[in-house]
Amino acid sequence: MDLFNRLASIDTLLLGWEKVRGNAGGPGADGVTIERFAQDLLPWMETFPEELREGRYHPHPLLQVRMARPGKKDRLLSIPTVRDRVVQSAANQLIVPILEKEFADESWGYRRGRSTQMALAEVARLRDEGFRWVVDADISAFFDEVDHPALFARLARYLPDPRLLALIRLWVAGVVKTVEGVYRRIERGIPQGSPISPVLANLYLDDFDEAILDENLRLVRFADDFLILCRDREQAEDALALTSETLDALDLRLNQAKTRITHFDEGFRFLGVNFLREQLSPANPAARGLQAPAPGYAFRGAGRRLEPLAPEPAPVEEMAVLEIESAIVSVDEATPPLLRTLYLNEQGLSLSREGQRLLVGHRDQVLLEVPIHTLNQVVVNGNASLTTGALRLCQENHIGVGFLRMNGECWGMLEAFDGHAVELRLAQYRRTEDAEFRLATARAMVVAKIANSRLLLNRYLRRHPLPEAEFRLAELLDLGHRAESATGLEMLRGFEGAAARVYFGAFQDWLGEPWGFTGRQRQPPPDPVNALLSYGYAVLFNNLHHLIRLRGLDPHLGFLHAARDGHPALVSDLMEEFRSLVVDAVVLHLLFAGQVGTEDFSPDGEEGAGWRMSEAFKKKFIHALEAKLNSRLAHPSGGVLDYRRILRHQVHALARAIEGAEPGYRGFTPK
């Protein structure tokens, strides 16, 4: 089905209605409120699709309203009627996913999963990386000056549907009823206040983004408000000249009175926040809205983003999660985790879609309704039925879906044909053929893994002594040093294997009977301890796989692990540094604290098929893993991050090394 006919479907129009109803807002030029429109929704839905297909639909005039802005000139908004907002919002459901793939990461405004806070954090990150000269630019009356032919030429590149393009043209070049009561046609510009306008604005400025980024400049753009951050004044002057030249080509102009080259030591204002040296403060503390970093937020880490400050890790029993049967999803919106996860553990659950919500059901009963915007990933453990509607909603919203077998083995991930970051992937492929880069990267991963294994072992040996404890620690230290000087991958893997035998040898001595642990064995797990480790590693695997895909790297091509069909080698690579810090730490804590017993496990069916956890304990284990992933620790760069954000930091650090933006990859070890 083409885009226009998809727009004319009741399902798509209902999505548009849900969006408009959720946003509330006032009536348009016809005076019809959302409440009044809702009364006639069903008969309208019966007749409107045919009206749209037959070309009988024409937008109502836009209603111009004045929006006061503290300390600034009033802004004029052009508001469509409720009916037209519904149709535009429905169109957004179709065109935004297509256009989003084309937009640069440096564009932060009016995009799902991005915010003013994130743009401010990116400015602070670049400042801390040494980009302290700033082109503080302002486009003169951007929304009023967008050239319609140029806009639609760009739109036609990605939407080869003449009927849909014609419809969008009706919305953009419509009639507006001004605040003076005069009707006039829009000959130029994009009407601020229309649901379709934000994505069109980002599309129009995408060529500008690409021109700036092609010169390897650092850009932070939020709609028409942007900064270019540079290392010295000369680079800033060149960037300003390029900016003026590029905007001229778009038939846009810089506001010379508001455009300047400045420095963090001199200070500047961006998105309602004053930047001065290392300090940030709201330009107008009394103004409403998200302007400055709010209480409970802080900049963290190198490559840092503005993230919510997490509370001290709560005991497992007190974690802020909503649990119905085996469906678990974090709901603490005051301090949300980086990857909010819905776990489907109970066998026979179903996952379906209703509008912008996922419904978890069992037989004919709905157990849980989850708004899609509250999720980042879904983990399906065992047998569950997922409708195509649910899967499509997840893919449209970049929600990762991972599938685990009952023993914890990850057997598949659902991926969309997103196709983003192609240049990064090409660079990744070239780097895997670069023997020197590959060895250096793998070496950094193994050295960090051995150091972190030694750290965890040392921590537990102090409380649970073993014979020859000092010898074990010294042996790991020596293997770490030898890994640092490894001259080949096989030699490096040999040191890694030797370190694992020393490390898990301590586990064997600690646990012994009744657990029957004789060493690390993967699938099937021959004892309850291995079952815990395998399941925990699968949860860690899913988190990393999702973060790697979001960054645009190919999860199947790594540096330490050899490439083979069906194995996401890069995920295994990046897991190595975190196995002991996240999963092994949780497993040892549960075992030594007596929070798990042999009665929580049973043989998995046939002889030799391994062991599995009880459903009740699996929930408890997931809670413990989530608590660990959301716990915070000092980062070597000076910030405080939870483990998921550290995982993301490492993924981004590897991407920067692959692109040549950093001299090499550095493994993570706690301060």
Side-chain angles (χ1 to χ4, degrees):
M1 185 186 296
D2 60 34
L3 289 174
F4 184 85
N5 281 320
R6 286 173 60 191
L7 172 62
S9 71
I10 292 177
D11 286 347
T12 306
L13 290 169
L14 281 173
L15 291 178
W17 161 244
E18 288 187 3
K19 185 72 173 177
V20 172
R21 182 177 58 178
N23 289 340
D30 63 355
V32 176
T33 64
I34 289 177
E35 293 76 14
R36 179 69 184 84
F37 188 84
Q39 295 174 11
D40 298 325
L41 179 65
L42 291 181
W44 180 79
M45 283 288 181
E46 290 178 358
T47 60
F48 183 75
E50 196 63 29
E51 179 183 336
L52 189 59
R53 292 190 189 96
E54 292 178 358
R56 292 184 285 113
Y57 163 71
H58 295 283
H60 292 134
L62 301 164
L63 178 65
Q64 193 178 73
V65 298
R66 195 180 301 277
M67 185 183 76
R69 296 189 294 169
K72 289 186 176 183
K73 181 181 177 182
D74 289 351
R75 173 175 289 162
L76 293 176
L77 301 180
S78 298
I79 309 299
T81 61
V82 174
R83 180 201 67 168
D84 294 335
R85 297 207 298 269
V86 169
V87 187
Q88 288 191 32
S89 297
N92 273 343
Q93 300 292 323
L94 304 176
I95 68 174
V96 167
I98 295 171
L99 298 181
E100 270 287 326
K101 299 173 184 178
E102 308 302 324
F103 296 158
D105 288 341
E106 288 73 11
S107 166
W108 296 91
Y110 309 124
R111 299 178 64 188
R112 182 185 294 274
R114 291 168 173 253
S115 66
T116 308
Q117 293 276 9
M118 292 178 176
L120 295 171
E122 183 70 359
V123 175
R125 181 184 77 81
L126 291 168
R127 173 200 63 195
D128 295 345
E129 289 190 357
F131 296 90
R132 302 184 70 87
W133 284 93
V134 179
V135 176
D136 181 9
D138 183 82
I139 302 176
S140 182
F142 166 73
F143 280 92
D144 296 331
E145 293 298 326
V146 169
D147 180 70
H148 288 179
L151 171 65
F152 280 94
R154 288 169 174 76
L155 196 57
R157 297 178 198 167
Y158 310 111
L159 299 180
D161 188 323
R163 289 190 295 173
L164 183 56
L165 287 171
L167 189 60
I168 297 172
R169 192 185 302 274
L170 288 176
W171 291 326
V172 172
V175 173
V176 60
K177 181 182 179 182
T178 68
V179 291
E180 294 84 12
V182 177
Y183 289 86
R184 66 172 180 82
R185 183 162 297 280
I186 302 172
E187 304 290 346
R188 190 176 183 85
I190 304 173
Q192 284 186 275
S194 291
I196 202 77
S197 294
V199 69
L200 297 181
N202 278 329
L203 174 65
Y204 197 79
L205 288 173
D206 187 59
D207 284 357
F208 167 77
D209 297 344
E210 296 299 332
I212 299 299
L213 298 176
D214 283 348
E215 297 301 318
N216 199 29
L217 294 167
R218 302 302 189 270
L219 170 70
V220 179
R221 181 175 66 78
F222 196 98
D224 60 327
D225 207 352
F226 64 90
L227 303 174
I228 302 175
L229 296 97
C230 306
R231 291 196 182 275
D232 53 51
R233 185 177 184 91
E234 182 180 2
Q235 187 184 41
E237 290 172 347
D238 291 342
L240 179 56
L242 175 63
T243 297
S244 181
E245 176 185 317
T246 305
L247 291 177
D248 280 346
L250 295 173
D251 206 11
L252 297 171
R253 301 293 178 267
L254 282 172
N255 184 336
Q256 298 298 337
K258 295 183 179 180
T259 298
R260 61 179 180 142
I261 293 174
T262 185
H263 192 279
F264 277 93
D265 290 345
E266 299 173 12
F268 58 91
R269 181 181 299 179
F270 182 60
L271 300 180
V273 169
N274 290 326
F275 284 82
L276 180 61
R277 292 183 287 276
E278 312 302 318
Q279 302 300 315
L280 287 82
S281 61
N284 182 3
R288 296 175 62 83
L290 189 62
Q291 294 187 4
Y297 283 76
F299 292 105
R300 307 185 177 128
R304 36 194 192 232
R305 298 286 171 87
L306 193 67
E307 305 291 4
L309 286 172
E312 290 301 316
V316 169
E317 296 77 17
E318 298 176 8
M319 278 193 63
V321 296
L322 175 63
E323 182 175 346
I324 297 181
E325 297 298 326
S326 296
I328 304 173
V329 58
S330 298
V331 295
D332 184 359
E333 289 300 321
T335 56
L338 176 63
L339 296 180
R340 293 166 293 187
T341 306
L342 173 66
Y343 292 88
L344 301 179
N345 287 328
E346 183 180 338
Q347 303 310 288
L349 288 178
S350 64
L351 191 68
S352 59
R353 169 183 184 170
E354 184 177 279
Q356 292 297 297
R357 297 186 301 278
L358 291 175
L359 305 183
V360 180
H362 188 259
R363 296 178 180 167
D364 296 328
Q365 182 182 4
V366 175
L367 305 178
L368 182 66
E369 295 187 14
V370 187
I372 196 66
H373 73 271
T374 66
L375 277 180
N376 299 103
Q377 58 179 346
V378 176
V379 175
V380 182
N381 188 188
N383 297 314
S385 61
L386 285 75
T387 67
T388 54
L391 294 175
R392 181 174 170 183
L393 183 62
C394 288
Q395 290 306 290
E396 288 171 349
N397 291 273
H398 306 289
I399 308 298
V401 183
F403 298 91
L404 309 184
R405 293 190 172 92
M406 291 300 295
N407 59 15
E409 181 184 2
C410 182
W411 61 265
M413 301 288 293
L414 183 66
E415 293 191 21
F417 295 140
D418 45 19
H420 70 294
V422 172
E423 290 299 323
L424 173 59
R425 289 200 174 196
L426 290 174
Q428 180 186 357
Y429 302 151
R430 289 191 292 268
R431 288 293 198 179
T432 59
E433 298 297 321
D434 181 339
E436 183 178 348
F437 181 90
R438 181 172 184 178
L439 177 60
T441 303
R443 192 160 48 211
M445 294 169 174
V446 171
V447 169
K449 175 184 180 177
I450 295 174
N452 293 337
S453 299
R454 186 176 183 275
L455 176 69
L456 185 70
L457 214 59
N458 188 39
R459 183 185 306 160
Y460 275 90
L461 282 169
R462 288 198 296 267
R463 287 176 280 171
H464 306 279
L466 287 175
E468 301 182 333
E470 293 302 321
F471 175 77
R472 297 172 193 261
L473 295 173
E475 195 168 2
L476 284 176
L477 184 63
D478 177 63
L479 286 166
H481 290 321
R482 295 169 72 184
E484 282 184 306
S485 57
T487 57
L489 282 174
E490 289 306 314
M491 180 186 297
L492 183 64
R493 292 167 183 151
F495 294 142
E496 179 195 18
R501 286 189 290 274
V502 173
Y503 175 70
F504 283 115
F507 278 53
Q508 181 178 351
D509 291 344
W510 270 324
L511 302 174
E513 295 295 335
W515 295 105
F517 182 81
T518 59
R520 174 67 183 136
Q521 297 183 51
R522 290 168 174 78
Q523 299 295 345
D527 56 77
V529 176
N530 270 296
L532 284 171
L533 293 171
S534 291
Y535 193 90
Y537 294 153
V539 170
L540 180 61
F541 178 96
N542 273 276
N543 279 271
L544 262 171
H545 193 285
H546 187 61
L547 292 169
I548 287 168
R549 282 190 56 238
L550 285 178
R551 186 60 182 86
L553 291 164
D554 186 337
H556 291 86
L557 209 57
F559 299 92
L560 171 62
H561 291 82
R564 67 175 189 273
D565 290 346
H567 176 226
L570 187 61
V571 185
S572 296
D573 282 2
L574 287 166
M575 279 180 63
E576 297 299 349
E577 302 161 35
F578 296 95
R579 290 176 186 267
S580 59
L581 296 176
V582 176
V583 179
D584 301 356
V586 171
V587 170
L588 287 179
H589 171 73
L590 293 173
L591 289 167
F592 282 125
Q595 296 183 21
V596 57
T598 53
E599 67 277 6
D600 293 312
F601 299 84
S602 60
D604 190 5
E606 301 176 5
E607 183 178 354
W611 288 71
R612 69 165 63 178
M613 291 175 272
S614 68
E615 294 301 321
F617 178 73
K618 186 178 293 181
K619 297 176 188 177
K620 184 175 182 179
F621 189 35
I622 289 172
H623 277 293
L625 289 167
E626 286 288 320
K628 188 66 176 179
L629 287 165
N630 293 329
S631 65
R632 297 179 298 145
L633 66 159
H635 194 271
S637 61
V640 179
L641 297 172
D642 60 64
Y643 271 109
R644 278 198 175 99
R645 287 177 172 85
I646 294 172
L647 292 172
R648 181 178 66 181
H649 181 277
Q650 292 305 108
V651 171
H652 284 247
L654 179 58
R656 290 195 298 273
I658 287 171
E659 293 171 326
E662 299 291 342
Y665 175 76
R666 295 180 61 183
F668 171 76
T669 53
K671 290 182 67 174

